[in-house]
């Protein structure tokens, strides 16, 4: 059978790639996708632990994480669209003033 | 090498390759499609971990709804590729160093300190079945479930308010 370590290591690798994406890329859409990747990596770790310890609550928690992620994406993409309307660019280096 | 392990490694390779493709892709549309592939592989992991309900939620919510929303916004803005910026030139190498440190720490904790141990036990009948998840969700966790609906409503209203054009011509 598969050791739990393998799943957690995979989750850690995916999380690292997501964190790297947030730091390296300059496109807010890709930064958003990297955040989704990190949430997903955390979900994978939770489901793996849920399976090992046979606790169903972990899956319920993952379900709620997914719902919150969906809400976050809706609001975040709406913000990106609003910023694009005012600045005609979504380059993250130009988002440096609060008044818009 | 048991069939389980072979399946795990093949799927893990696909998941990591798709994540790297998302990270390195020049075009945002390709990045989004790579991320869909990654979510699909993670859904297969969920099935391997006896969580069919979560796997189907993953496919329908993440790979379906969220990524379609991303693709819509990409098409709407028409900014598939951005020019490489020259601001903060030291940030990129620093980010790679920090990511290496993070991965190294995780590897040290997992494979040298052995903070997690044990193997995935034999499957138990009905564990993680949609029926069991629904029973827990609608009995024990009914209040959080209802709060979630309010949260989604607020997110929907917020998205509409943020993107609506003001009447009177000038548009925000």
């Amino acid at each position: 059978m598969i050791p739990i370590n393998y799943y957690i290591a995979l989750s850690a690798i995916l999380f690292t790639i997501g964190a790297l994406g947030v730091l390296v890329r300059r496109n807010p859409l890709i930064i958003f996708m990297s955040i989704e990747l990190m949430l997903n990596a955390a979900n994978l770790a939770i489901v793996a632990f849920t399976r090992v310890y046979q606790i169903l609550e972990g899956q319920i928690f993952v379900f709620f994480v997914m719902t919150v992620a969906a809400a976050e994406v809706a609001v975040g993409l709406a913000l990106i669209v609003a910023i694009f309307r005012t600045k005609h660019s979504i380059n993250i280096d130009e988002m440096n003033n609060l008044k818009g | 090498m048991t069939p389980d392990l072979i399946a795990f490694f093949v799927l893990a390779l696909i998941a990591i390759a798709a994540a790297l493709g998302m990270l390195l892709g020049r075009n945002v549309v390709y990045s989004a499609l790579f991320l869909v592939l990654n979510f699909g592989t993670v859904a297969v992991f969920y099935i391997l971990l006896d969580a069919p309900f979560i796997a189907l939620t993953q496919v329908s919510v993440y790979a379906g709804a969220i990524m379609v929303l991303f693709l819509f916004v990409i098409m709407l803005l028409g900014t598939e590729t951005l020019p490489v910026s020259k601001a903060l030139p030291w940030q990129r190498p620093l980010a790679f160093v920090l990511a290496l440190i993070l991965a190294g720490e995780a590897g040290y904790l997992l494979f040298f300190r052995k903070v997690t141990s044990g193997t995935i036990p034999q499957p138990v009948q009905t564990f993680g079945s949609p029926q069991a998840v629904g029973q827990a969700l609608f009995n024990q966790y009914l209040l959080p479930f209802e709060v979630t609906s309010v949260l989604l409503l607020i997110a929907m209203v917020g998205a509409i308010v943020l993107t609506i054009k003001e009447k009177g011509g000038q548009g925000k």
Side-chain angles (χ1 to χ4, degrees):
Chain A
M1 307 252 53
I2 303 170
I4 174 83
N5 271 1
Y6 290 7
Y7 276 104
I8 307 304
L10 175 67
S11 162
I13 292 170
L14 291 179
F15 190 92
T16 310
I17 294 174
L20 190 61
V22 170
L23 289 175
V24 165
R25 296 305 300 261
R26 294 271 64 97
N27 189 329
L29 287 167
I30 301 223
I31 291 178
F32 246 112
M33 289 184 211
S34 302
I35 293 171
E36 294 307 312
L37 189 63
M38 286 195 278
L39 282 170
N40 217 35
N43 280 351
L44 181 61
I46 295 175
V47 172
F49 281 123
T50 300
R51 180 71 185 77
V52 170
Y53 297 108
Q54 307 275 331
I55 302 165
L56 198 59
E57 274 74 9
Q59 293 193 10
I60 310 268
F61 191 71
V62 167
F63 175 73
F64 286 132
V65 169
M66 281 180 181
T67 329
V68 174
E72 168 238 331
V73 162
V75 174
L77 288 178
L79 274 175
I80 289 181
V81 170
I83 290 170
F84 183 77
R85 284 232 184 97
T86 47
K87 292 178 111 59
H88 299 288
S89 156
I90 54 165
N91 197 334
I92 200 129
D93 288 326
E94 293 167 23
M95 295 184 199
N96 48 12
N97 51 352
L98 283 175
K99 275 174 76 181
Chain B
M1 285 288 264
T2 60
D4 274 8
L5 270 180
I6 295 171
F8 176 86
F9 279 118
V10 170
L11 282 169
L13 209 62
I14 295 173
I16 293 170
L20 284 175
M22 189 275 295
L23 178 66
L24 302 172
R26 285 288 116 203
N27 192 320
V28 187
V29 179
Y30 295 159
S31 293
L33 293 177
F34 272 122
L35 199 56
V36 172
L37 177 61
N38 184 304
F39 287 163
T41 11
V42 174
V44 178
F45 276 123
Y46 290 158
I47 290 177
L48 288 179
L49 286 169
D50 282 327
F53 174 72
I54 295 296
L56 286 180
T57 318
Q58 165 94 356
V59 170
S60 60
V61 173
Y62 263 117
I66 291 184
M67 291 322 289
V68 167
L69 202 59
F70 265 106
L71 287 173
F72 266 128
V73 170
I74 293 167
M75 312 261 169
L76 195 68
L77 301 185
T79 51
E80 284 88 0
T81 52
L82 280 180
V84 181
S85 95
K86 292 281 172 284
L88 298 180
W90 44 265
Q91 191 193 11
R92 195 168 275 243
L94 183 66
F96 279 105
V97 171
L98 288 177
L100 266 182
I101 292 172
L102 182 62
E105 278 175 348
Y108 172 73
L109 284 177
L110 282 174
F111 292 106
F112 292 98
R113 296 285 301 279
K114 304 237 191 296
V115 286
T116 58
S117 59
T119 56
I120 310 284
Q122 289 293 330
V124 182
Q125 219 70 42
T126 76
F127 173 75
S129 68
Q131 193 185 2
V133 174
Q135 292 265 351
L137 201 57
F138 288 112
N139 289 319
Q140 218 174 335
Y141 295 93
L142 186 61
L143 182 67
F145 184 76
E146 296 294 336
V147 171
T148 304
S149 70
V150 177
L151 178 78
L152 284 176
L153 178 71
I154 294 170
M156 197 168 71
V157 173
I160 293 171
V161 166
L162 280 171
T163 51
I164 200 164
K165 274 187 178 147
E166 276 172 13
K167 281 199 174 154
Q170 80 237 31
K172 275 218 307 202

